[in-house]
Structure formats: C-alpha cells, structure tokens
Amino acid sequence: MSSATQKTEFRRKRRHENAGRARKARAARLGTTPAFPLHTPEADANAPNQVSPDQDSSQD
C-alpha cells in the first residue's frame, strides 16, 4: 500500500503531464502560426523596386 504522500505526488505529476494535452495536440495538428497574406497591394506599393508576383521574372 502506498503512502498518502506518494499518492498525492503521483496525482500531481499525472495532472501536470496531462495539462495542456488538448492544446498541444491541436498545435501539432494545425500549427501555431496564423495564416497571413504574403503579397498584398500595400506591400507591393511600399516596395516599388521589387518584382511583382504577377510579373514574369524571366524577362531580364
């Protein structure tokens, strides 16, 4: 038979191991970085020297 202290410590350890399990599983499945646009009209307007994504880069 285990002592009361051993039971308590085991329960605390188990609770800490399981804490956040759903959040961690969701993060592993879906990732943690939100989707964001890469090429927006504002970004293209702020970088006029850059090639626009709709232009063909083989025209050099």
Side-chain angles (χ1 to χ4, degrees), residues 10-59:
F10 175 77
R11 288 173 182 158
R12 286 178 182 163
K13 182 178 180 237
R14 184 179 57 203
R15 187 173 66 240
H16 281 101
E17 286 174 351
N18 290 331
R21 181 169 286 199
R23 180 195 60 81
K24 288 183 269 190
R26 183 180 185 279
R29 197 173 64 247
L30 301 176
T32 57
T33 306
F36 58 93
L38 294 177
H39 297 287
T40 61
E42 295 83 16
D44 291 339
N46 290 334
N49 295 336
Q50 302 297 321
V51 176
S52 179
D54 57 349
Q55 290 179 349
D56 186 17
S57 62
S58 65
Q59 292 178 350

